[in-house]
Amino acid sequence: MRPRTALGPRALLLFALAALVGTAVAVLPALAAAPSEAKLEVNENCVESDWPCWATPGSGANPAPASKVTIAAGGEVKFADNANTAAAVVWMGSAPACSGVPTSAMTKWEGTCKFEQPGTYKFESSTLFNEGGSLNYTEYEIVVEGATTGTTPTTTATTPTTTTTTTTTTPSEPSHGSPLEGGSKALKLAGNQHGSTVHGSIKVSQAGSGGRLEVGLFVASASLAKAAHPAQVRVGRLVRSSLKAGSVSFSVPLTAKGKAALRRHRRLALTVKVTLTPTHGGAATITRGVVVHA
């Protein structure tokens, strides 16, 4: 038997190189690129029955909400709502280019959003399950990683979660300012309410004093089981004139059709459209989603 000899410097170097190569191979999976495509669908039984959320297809009978999805820059997210719960996708800040994705709650739709730039994109679906705290299934984010760095910026743009539109006036008309006090924050409207009447309030500015308030409640036609109806059907309306500056409360009852749909489904996803038209200047409109429970 040959005696054991000590390893020379050359052999030690070879062993060290082999160890480094093994370490690099072990790290490679952690640096794997993000997928270029993701899919999200409305699942009506997330965690528990009758708790709707956005989930990944095939994630089980009672999946957890897909609150954070990561894809590569230039990738796409495909959305689908083939459930009975109406949903919309409202971007809160930077928004991707989308096709077929509604901003007002509705059912039976499919759409795609393409994310060209790295960053964190946040969206809200206010008609999904929300009991507060960790049981809020209405807020989600899409993290888009850079093609080479695998990192995302630490800051994102911020915009209101609601849609506010102000009608422009002709150049010959004087500027009177917004009729809303505080822009879209002027509207106070709970996302989940009980009963057949929607309650809220809006702050009217001095520019809106004397103006006209109109509140409309709309629901997806699928909730009324009326195929002949347009995509959105009005199921409630309130009009008030000669408004005073300050906080103005409103209560809008559902129509007979709306109440019947609420009794049938036990919950109804509504789109609430609030329009304030001043005596001078352009009207301001805010649109939000609300779920009423029987």
Side-chain angles (χ1 to χ4, degrees):
M1 180 183 295
R2 296 179 59 186
R4 305 174 84 182
T5 59
L7 293 175
R10 181 181 179 84
L12 289 173
L13 178 61
L14 291 174
F15 275 112
L17 290 175
L20 287 175
V21 171
T23 303
V25 171
V27 171
L28 282 176
L31 300 178
S36 61
E37 180 181 290
K39 296 181 180 180
L40 293 175
E41 64 181 10
V42 173
N43 188 308
E44 296 189 298
N45 304 299
C46 297
V47 182
E48 297 286 348
S49 298
D50 299 323
W51 290 9
C53 76
W54 286 107
T56 55
S59 53
N62 296 109
S67 57
K68 183 176 181 179
V69 175
T70 301
I71 62 170
E76 295 181 339
V77 175
K78 296 183 177 181
F79 295 89
D81 183 0
N82 295 309
N84 293 321
T85 300
V89 173
V90 179
W91 296 99
M92 302 183 291
S94 300
C98 297
S99 175
V101 178
T103 56
S104 296
M106 56 189 299
T107 59
K108 310 305 178 186
W109 61 268
E110 296 184 2
T112 302
C113 291
K114 188 174 182 64
F115 298 82
E116 297 288 358
Q117 300 298 324
T120 299
Y121 298 76
K122 298 182 179 181
F123 72 89
E124 182 179 33
S125 296
S126 60
T127 56
L128 302 184
F129 183 74
N130 184 4
E131 286 293 335
S134 62
L135 297 181
N136 180 359
Y137 297 171
T138 66
E139 297 179 355
Y140 301 81
E141 62 181 42
I142 308 296
V143 177
V144 182
E145 294 185 346
T148 58
T149 64
T151 60
T152 59
T154 57
T155 59
T156 56
T158 57
T159 58
T161 61
T162 58
T163 302
T164 305
T165 306
T166 303
T167 305
T168 57
T169 59
T170 61
S172 61
E173 294 178 329
S175 176
H176 295 276
S178 172
L180 300 174
E181 187 68 45
S184 62
K185 294 181 180 179
L187 178 62
K188 302 298 181 183
L189 189 68
N192 282 275
Q193 301 192 24
H194 293 271
S196 59
T197 300
V198 173
H199 304 276
S201 66
I202 193 164
K203 287 187 177 180
V204 180
S205 68
Q206 289 295 334
S209 179
R212 175 178 180 271
L213 173 68
E214 180 175 353
V215 183
L217 308 180
F218 298 86
V219 70
S221 59
S223 297
L224 300 177
K226 299 285 187 179
H229 280 302
Q232 292 282 311
V233 181
R234 189 169 67 189
V235 290
R237 182 172 182 260
L238 170 72
V239 176
R240 294 181 61 179
S241 302
S242 302
L243 301 176
K244 294 183 179 180
S247 182
V248 177
S249 299
F250 58 82
S251 297
V252 188
L254 291 172
T255 62
K257 290 181 180 180
K259 291 178 181 177
L262 178 60
R263 288 193 299 269
R264 183 165 59 251
H265 299 293
R266 307 301 299 169
R267 64 196 301 275
L268 202 60
L270 301 173
T271 298
V272 181
K273 183 177 180 181
V274 180
T275 302
L276 183 56
T277 306
T279 54
H280 301 285
T285 299
I286 301 176
T287 303
R288 284 191 186 170
V290 170
V291 177
V292 290
H293 303 264

mmCIF file of all heavy atoms in Angstrom, residues 178-211:
data_model
loop_
_atom_site.group_PDB
_atom_site.id
_atom_site.type_symbol
_atom_site.label_atom_id
_atom_site.label_comp_id
_atom_site.label_asym_id
_atom_site.label_seq_id
_atom_site.Cartn_x
_atom_site.Cartn_y
_atom_site.Cartn_z
ATOM 1 N N SER A 178 -62.611 74.139 -8.899
ATOM 2 C CA SER A 178 -63.346 72.886 -8.820
ATOM 3 C C SER A 178 -64.533 73.015 -7.868
ATOM 4 O O SER A 178 -64.423 73.642 -6.810
ATOM 5 C CB SER A 178 -62.419 71.774 -8.339
ATOM 6 O OG SER A 178 -63.140 70.579 -8.081
ATOM 7 N N PRO A 179 -65.665 72.387 -8.210
ATOM 8 C CA PRO A 179 -66.808 72.391 -7.295
ATOM 9 C C PRO A 179 -66.615 71.442 -6.113
ATOM 10 O O PRO A 179 -67.412 71.454 -5.181
ATOM 11 C CB PRO A 179 -67.967 71.932 -8.187
ATOM 12 C CG PRO A 179 -67.323 71.093 -9.237
ATOM 13 C CD PRO A 179 -65.988 71.737 -9.492
ATOM 14 N N LEU A 180 -65.542 70.626 -6.158
ATOM 15 C CA LEU A 180 -65.262 69.678 -5.093
ATOM 16 C C LEU A 180 -64.209 70.235 -4.145
ATOM 17 O O LEU A 180 -63.206 70.806 -4.585
ATOM 18 C CB LEU A 180 -64.764 68.350 -5.669
ATOM 19 C CG LEU A 180 -65.713 67.623 -6.626
ATOM 20 C CD1 LEU A 180 -65.005 66.412 -7.219
ATOM 21 C CD2 LEU A 180 -66.973 67.207 -5.909
ATOM 22 N N GLU A 181 -64.398 70.039 -2.872
ATOM 23 C CA GLU A 181 -63.431 70.466 -1.870
ATOM 24 C C GLU A 181 -62.450 69.324 -1.619
ATOM 25 O O GLU A 181 -62.779 68.342 -0.959
ATOM 26 C CB GLU A 181 -64.154 70.818 -0.566
ATOM 27 C CG GLU A 181 -63.249 71.433 0.500
ATOM 28 C CD GLU A 181 -62.754 72.812 0.143
ATOM 29 O OE1 GLU A 181 -63.569 73.636 -0.323
ATOM 30 O OE2 GLU A 181 -61.547 73.059 0.322
ATOM 31 N N GLY A 182 -61.244 69.451 -2.190
ATOM 32 C CA GLY A 182 -60.248 68.404 -2.005
ATOM 33 C C GLY A 182 -60.198 67.381 -3.117
ATOM 34 O O GLY A 182 -59.642 66.296 -2.922
ATOM 35 N N GLY A 183 -60.770 67.675 -4.269
ATOM 36 C CA GLY A 183 -60.718 66.747 -5.391
ATOM 37 C C GLY A 183 -61.477 65.457 -5.115
ATOM 38 O O GLY A 183 -62.558 65.478 -4.528
ATOM 39 N N SER A 184 -60.887 64.320 -5.511
ATOM 40 C CA SER A 184 -61.565 63.034 -5.343
ATOM 41 C C SER A 184 -61.750 62.658 -3.876
ATOM 42 O O SER A 184 -62.620 61.856 -3.542
ATOM 43 C CB SER A 184 -60.783 61.933 -6.063
ATOM 44 O OG SER A 184 -59.494 61.799 -5.500
ATOM 45 N N LYS A 185 -60.932 63.259 -2.983
ATOM 46 C CA LYS A 185 -61.078 62.978 -1.550
ATOM 47 C C LYS A 185 -62.345 63.604 -0.972
ATOM 48 O O LYS A 185 -62.689 63.346 0.184
ATOM 49 C CB LYS A 185 -59.855 63.479 -0.791
ATOM 50 C CG LYS A 185 -58.572 62.738 -1.142
ATOM 51 C CD LYS A 185 -57.394 63.254 -0.331
ATOM 52 C CE LYS A 185 -56.113 62.504 -0.675
ATOM 53 N NZ LYS A 185 -54.947 63.025 0.088
ATOM 54 N N ALA A 186 -63.025 64.430 -1.769
ATOM 55 C CA ALA A 186 -64.257 65.062 -1.295
ATOM 56 C C ALA A 186 -65.355 64.028 -1.065
ATOM 57 O O ALA A 186 -66.252 64.241 -0.256
ATOM 58 C CB ALA A 186 -64.739 66.110 -2.300
ATOM 59 N N LEU A 187 -65.285 62.902 -1.770
ATOM 60 C CA LEU A 187 -66.332 61.880 -1.655
ATOM 61 C C LEU A 187 -65.996 60.899 -0.545
ATOM 62 O O LEU A 187 -64.925 60.284 -0.533
ATOM 63 C CB LEU A 187 -66.486 61.132 -2.978
ATOM 64 C CG LEU A 187 -67.514 59.993 -3.003
ATOM 65 C CD1 LEU A 187 -68.916 60.519 -2.714
ATOM 66 C CD2 LEU A 187 -67.480 59.260 -4.339
ATOM 67 N N LYS A 188 -66.900 60.725 0.396
ATOM 68 C CA LYS A 188 -66.788 59.731 1.452
ATOM 69 C C LYS A 188 -67.829 58.651 1.189
ATOM 70 O O LYS A 188 -69.040 58.924 1.225
ATOM 71 C CB LYS A 188 -67.010 60.362 2.838
ATOM 72 C CG LYS A 188 -66.046 61.501 3.156
ATOM 73 C CD LYS A 188 -64.593 61.026 3.177
ATOM 74 C CE LYS A 188 -63.647 62.167 3.531
ATOM 75 N NZ LYS A 188 -62.221 61.736 3.478
ATOM 76 N N LEU A 189 -67.363 57.449 0.901
ATOM 77 C CA LEU A 189 -68.272 56.380 0.501
ATOM 78 C C LEU A 189 -67.671 55.043 0.918
ATOM 79 O O LEU A 189 -66.620 54.649 0.409
ATOM 80 C CB LEU A 189 -68.484 56.419 -1.016
ATOM 81 C CG LEU A 189 -69.553 55.521 -1.616
ATOM 82 C CD1 LEU A 189 -70.945 55.973 -1.192
ATOM 83 C CD2 LEU A 189 -69.449 55.520 -3.138
ATOM 84 N N ALA A 190 -68.312 54.346 1.854
ATOM 85 C CA ALA A 190 -67.808 53.052 2.317
ATOM 86 C C ALA A 190 -67.907 52.020 1.204
ATOM 87 O O ALA A 190 -68.917 51.940 0.498
ATOM 88 C CB ALA A 190 -68.585 52.583 3.544
ATOM 89 N N GLY A 191 -66.859 51.218 1.054
ATOM 90 C CA GLY A 191 -66.839 50.222 -0.017
ATOM 91 C C GLY A 191 -67.763 49.052 0.230
ATOM 92 O O GLY A 191 -68.186 48.386 -0.714
ATOM 93 N N ASN A 192 -68.117 48.771 1.487
ATOM 94 C CA ASN A 192 -69.062 47.708 1.834
ATOM 95 C C ASN A 192 -70.172 48.312 2.688
ATOM 96 O O ASN A 192 -69.897 48.963 3.698
ATOM 97 C CB ASN A 192 -68.356 46.593 2.612
ATOM 98 C CG ASN A 192 -67.554 45.673 1.706
ATOM 99 O OD1 ASN A 192 -68.085 44.733 1.133
ATOM 100 N ND2 ASN A 192 -66.267 45.954 1.562
ATOM 101 N N GLN A 193 -71.421 48.108 2.266
ATOM 102 C CA GLN A 193 -72.562 48.647 2.988
ATOM 103 C C GLN A 193 -73.650 47.584 3.088
ATOM 104 O O GLN A 193 -73.671 46.614 2.317
ATOM 105 C CB GLN A 193 -73.109 49.902 2.292
ATOM 106 C CG GLN A 193 -72.077 51.013 2.156
ATOM 107 C CD GLN A 193 -72.679 52.343 1.746
ATOM 108 O OE1 GLN A 193 -73.871 52.624 1.956
ATOM 109 N NE2 GLN A 193 -71.845 53.197 1.162
ATOM 110 N N HIS A 194 -74.537 47.758 4.049
ATOM 111 C CA HIS A 194 -75.609 46.790 4.272
ATOM 112 C C HIS A 194 -76.967 47.445 4.035
ATOM 113 O O HIS A 194 -77.170 48.626 4.339
ATOM 114 C CB HIS A 194 -75.541 46.243 5.703
ATOM 115 C CG HIS A 194 -74.328 45.401 5.963
ATOM 116 N ND1 HIS A 194 -74.302 44.038 5.749
ATOM 117 C CD2 HIS A 194 -73.091 45.729 6.394
ATOM 118 C CE1 HIS A 194 -73.107 43.567 6.046
ATOM 119 N NE2 HIS A 194 -72.344 44.578 6.442
ATOM 120 N N GLY A 195 -77.868 46.669 3.456
ATOM 121 C CA GLY A 195 -79.200 47.186 3.162
ATOM 122 C C GLY A 195 -79.345 47.606 1.715
ATOM 123 O O GLY A 195 -78.403 47.508 0.916
ATOM 124 N N SER A 196 -80.516 48.088 1.365
ATOM 125 C CA SER A 196 -80.838 48.421 -0.027
ATOM 126 C C SER A 196 -80.686 49.907 -0.325
ATOM 127 O O SER A 196 -81.214 50.391 -1.330
ATOM 128 C CB SER A 196 -82.278 47.979 -0.336
ATOM 129 O OG SER A 196 -83.195 48.614 0.542
ATOM 130 N N THR A 197 -79.973 50.647 0.520
ATOM 131 C CA THR A 197 -79.734 52.069 0.304
ATOM 132 C C THR A 197 -78.248 52.359 0.451
ATOM 133 O O THR A 197 -77.613 51.897 1.395
ATOM 134 C CB THR A 197 -80.529 52.927 1.303
ATOM 135 O OG1 THR A 197 -81.929 52.667 1.146
ATOM 136 C CG2 THR A 197 -80.281 54.408 1.066
ATOM 137 N N VAL A 198 -77.698 53.111 -0.496
ATOM 138 C CA VAL A 198 -76.288 53.491 -0.469
ATOM 139 C C VAL A 198 -76.162 54.872 0.166
ATOM 140 O O VAL A 198 -76.831 55.820 -0.247
ATOM 141 C CB VAL A 198 -75.684 53.499 -1.889
ATOM 142 C CG1 VAL A 198 -74.272 54.061 -1.876
ATOM 143 C CG2 VAL A 198 -75.686 52.094 -2.471
ATOM 144 N N HIS A 199 -75.310 54.970 1.193
ATOM 145 C CA HIS A 199 -75.123 56.227 1.917
ATOM 146 C C HIS A 199 -73.722 56.770 1.667
ATOM 147 O O HIS A 199 -72.758 56.012 1.551
ATOM 148 C CB HIS A 199 -75.321 56.017 3.429
ATOM 149 C CG HIS A 199 -76.638 55.418 3.790
ATOM 150 N ND1 HIS A 199 -77.790 56.160 3.942
ATOM 151 C CD2 HIS A 199 -76.992 54.121 4.025
ATOM 152 C CE1 HIS A 199 -78.794 55.370 4.257
ATOM 153 N NE2 HIS A 199 -78.342 54.116 4.315
ATOM 154 N N GLY A 200 -73.602 58.085 1.611
ATOM 155 C CA GLY A 200 -72.311 58.725 1.432
ATOM 156 C C GLY A 200 -72.421 60.213 1.660
ATOM 157 O O GLY A 200 -73.487 60.734 2.024
ATOM 158 N N SER A 201 -71.328 60.910 1.447
ATOM 159 C CA SER A 201 -71.326 62.366 1.566
ATOM 160 C C SER A 201 -70.263 62.927 0.650
ATOM 161 O O SER A 201 -69.321 62.217 0.250
ATOM 162 C CB SER A 201 -71.059 62.800 3.011
ATOM 163 O OG SER A 201 -69.748 62.457 3.411
ATOM 164 N N ILE A 202 -70.402 64.199 0.311
ATOM 165 C CA ILE A 202 -69.442 64.860 -0.553
ATOM 166 C C ILE A 202 -69.251 66.293 -0.080
ATOM 167 O O ILE A 202 -70.198 66.942 0.380
ATOM 168 C CB ILE A 202 -69.908 64.820 -2.023
ATOM 169 C CG1 ILE A 202 -68.763 65.222 -2.952
ATOM 170 C CG2 ILE A 202 -71.149 65.668 -2.263
ATOM 171 C CD1 ILE A 202 -68.991 64.849 -4.398
ATOM 172 N N LYS A 203 -67.998 66.766 -0.142
ATOM 173 C CA LYS A 203 -67.702 68.129 0.277
ATOM 174 C C LYS A 203 -67.770 69.063 -0.917
ATOM 175 O O LYS A 203 -67.049 68.890 -1.895
ATOM 176 C CB LYS A 203 -66.321 68.189 0.933
ATOM 177 C CG LYS A 203 -66.264 67.573 2.316
ATOM 178 C CD LYS A 203 -64.910 67.820 2.961
ATOM 179 C CE LYS A 203 -64.884 67.266 4.385
ATOM 180 N NZ LYS A 203 -63.566 67.500 5.033
ATOM 181 N N VAL A 204 -68.646 70.054 -0.799
ATOM 182 C CA VAL A 204 -68.869 71.024 -1.872
ATOM 183 C C VAL A 204 -68.048 72.274 -1.574
ATOM 184 O O VAL A 204 -68.098 72.812 -0.457
ATOM 185 C CB VAL A 204 -70.363 71.375 -1.992
ATOM 186 C CG1 VAL A 204 -70.592 72.379 -3.120
ATOM 187 C CG2 VAL A 204 -71.191 70.111 -2.217
ATOM 188 N N SER A 205 -67.286 72.734 -2.554
ATOM 189 C CA SER A 205 -66.486 73.942 -2.380
ATOM 190 C C SER A 205 -67.351 75.180 -2.610
ATOM 191 O O SER A 205 -68.519 75.088 -3.017
ATOM 192 C CB SER A 205 -65.309 73.944 -3.353
ATOM 193 O OG SER A 205 -65.786 74.082 -4.685
ATOM 194 N N GLN A 206 -66.775 76.352 -2.368
ATOM 195 C CA GLN A 206 -67.505 77.594 -2.635
ATOM 196 C C GLN A 206 -67.853 77.709 -4.110
ATOM 197 O O GLN A 206 -68.905 78.233 -4.475
ATOM 198 C CB GLN A 206 -66.658 78.794 -2.196
ATOM 199 C CG GLN A 206 -66.527 78.958 -0.683
ATOM 200 C CD GLN A 206 -67.859 79.281 -0.022
ATOM 201 O OE1 GLN A 206 -68.764 79.843 -0.637
ATOM 202 N NE2 GLN A 206 -67.991 78.901 1.251
ATOM 203 N N ALA A 207 -66.967 77.175 -4.980
ATOM 204 C CA ALA A 207 -67.244 77.224 -6.419
ATOM 205 C C ALA A 207 -68.440 76.354 -6.791
ATOM 206 O O ALA A 207 -69.113 76.599 -7.796
ATOM 207 C CB ALA A 207 -66.010 76.774 -7.198
ATOM 208 N N GLY A 208 -68.719 75.312 -5.975
ATOM 209 C CA GLY A 208 -69.850 74.429 -6.270
ATOM 210 C C GLY A 208 -71.136 74.842 -5.597
ATOM 211 O O GLY A 208 -72.190 74.221 -5.816
ATOM 212 N N SER A 209 -71.083 75.883 -4.752
ATOM 213 C CA SER A 209 -72.282 76.340 -4.045
ATOM 214 C C SER A 209 -73.369 76.758 -5.038
ATOM 215 O O SER A 209 -73.090 77.463 -6.012
ATOM 216 C CB SER A 209 -71.922 77.517 -3.140
ATOM 217 O OG SER A 209 -73.065 78.002 -2.458
ATOM 218 N N GLY A 210 -74.597 76.278 -4.795
ATOM 219 C CA GLY A 210 -75.706 76.555 -5.700
ATOM 220 C C GLY A 210 -75.822 75.575 -6.842
ATOM 221 O O GLY A 210 -76.745 75.664 -7.657
ATOM 222 N N GLY A 211 -74.906 74.614 -6.896
ATOM 223 C CA GLY A 211 -74.885 73.661 -7.995
ATOM 224 C C GLY A 211 -75.852 72.496 -7.821
ATOM 225 O O GLY A 211 -76.685 72.477 -6.914
#
